[in-house]
Amino acid sequence: MDDARFLAGPKEVGVVLGVEPNTVNVWQRRQESTTPFPSPVVRLAGMAVWDIREVIAWADETGRTVRQRDYSAPGWNAIASIG
């Protein structure tokens, strides 16, 4: 269950990388690159969800800026404090 704290949709990936969510969606469709954007771990209601650790590794490998490395999924701290 701890890995759930690393789940991120386009909005959260955008915040971590300092880009708009639409940019994230463009990156995921652009697969001709030698270092393609990571595949989503799941799709929920048609929306891609990634493991943010894979996205950060991709950003580092491709020279993109990472603005927030200490990511936890929204609401994760509240859930973790219950258990």
Side-chain angles (χ1 to χ4, degrees), residues 59-79:
D60 288 339
E61 189 173 338
T62 59
R64 287 177 171 79
T65 300
V66 177
R67 294 201 174 171
Q68 179 186 346
R69 291 185 182 271
D70 60 341
Y71 174 86
S72 286
W76 176 256
N77 291 334
I79 293 169

Side-chain angles (χ1 to χ4, degrees), residues 3 6-8 13 38-41 49-56:
D3 284 351
F6 297 111
L7 296 178
V13 171
S39 296
V41 294
V49 178
W50 294 272
D51 182 322
I52 199 67
R53 297 169 294 184
E54 293 177 7
V55 173
I56 290 172

Side-chain angles (χ1 to χ4, degrees), residues 9-10 13-14 17 19-29 37 50:
V13 171
L17 299 183
V19 299
E20 294 294 321
N22 190 53
T23 300
V24 176
N25 291 324
V26 169
W27 285 339
Q28 81 168 342
R29 287 191 298 269
F37 196 73
W50 294 272

